[in-house]
Amino acid sequence: MSHSPISAPHFVTPAGPTEPGFRPDAPVNRPLLLVFMFSAAALSALSGILSALMVYLGGKDLADQNVRNAVDSDPAAVGLPADTRSADLQRMSPTAWDDVVTHWQDTMSARAAFAAALAVLVLVCALLARNASLWSRAALSVAVLLGGAFPHVLVLRDAPPTGLYVTSLAAPALAVVTVVLCWLPTVGRYAKARGRS
């Protein structure tokens, strides 16, 4: 009597629970919030680059205007008597005024170089974060906060001219928006779905 081999019953294992909004068999689409995150990071970097360009193109005239604004808006903050005016200082000692403006131009140029370098770092980190992996979002968060906070916060407290003020205000504001978008649940779910695919 021959016995036919009996095969073990074949069971199909049901798929485990998936993240809300993602089907295991569907292609993973990039969420709109991730696009907003890239845009905010790129605009923050662009603000930093524009600030740096303004400083370099403005040269000594921009530094002179910045020193005048600082003296005229709050003389006590720069160690002068409360009734001091920038025009009076320049008239009393043109050479000393020129030295102060030259020194301030050097300070502004150093900050501009640092802002431009950090802006490039933000752009690189934004490109690395295109798949929203945890490490790339962490790197982008650190880079954009550094690029947005320093040196722009320093510029904002130094009574800059209007154009420089606007670009220096935009950089940290967009940096905060980028960091918030980096850590929203939708972006995290997208990263997990990419990891599973």
Side-chain angles (χ1 to χ4, degrees), residues 83-183:
D83 58 347
T84 305
R85 307 305 304 160
S86 60
D88 298 336
L89 289 176
Q90 187 177 14
R91 199 170 30 255
M92 285 175 20
S93 180
T95 306
W97 179 265
D98 191 58
D99 288 345
V100 168
V101 170
T102 301
H103 176 71
W104 188 243
Q105 182 186 7
D106 292 343
T107 301
M108 289 178 73
S109 295
R111 289 179 182 174
F114 197 61
L118 286 173
V120 170
L121 178 64
V122 168
L123 290 175
V124 169
C125 289
L127 288 173
L128 292 173
R130 67 187 177 277
N131 292 331
S133 63
L134 182 64
W135 70 267
S136 64
R137 285 183 289 145
L140 177 60
S141 296
V142 170
V144 79
L145 285 176
L146 279 175
F150 186 85
H152 299 290
V153 171
L154 295 175
V155 171
L156 290 172
R157 71 182 180 96
D158 289 332
T162 305
L164 190 57
Y165 181 84
V166 170
T167 55
S168 291
L169 184 63
L174 289 164
V176 171
V177 170
T178 301
V179 172
V180 169
L181 291 172
C182 272
W183 302 106

Side-chain angles (χ1 to χ4, degrees), residues 21-65:
F22 293 103
R23 294 191 342 252
D25 58 339
V28 181
N29 293 326
R30 181 168 283 144
L32 192 56
L33 285 176
L34 195 61
V35 176
F36 290 155
M37 181 187 81
F38 294 143
S39 300
L43 288 172
S44 179
L46 181 62
S47 296
I49 291 169
L50 283 175
S51 292
L53 282 174
M54 284 179 169
V55 168
Y56 289 125
L57 295 175
K60 197 164 186 175
D61 290 340
L62 184 71
D64 185 82
Q65 185 181 357

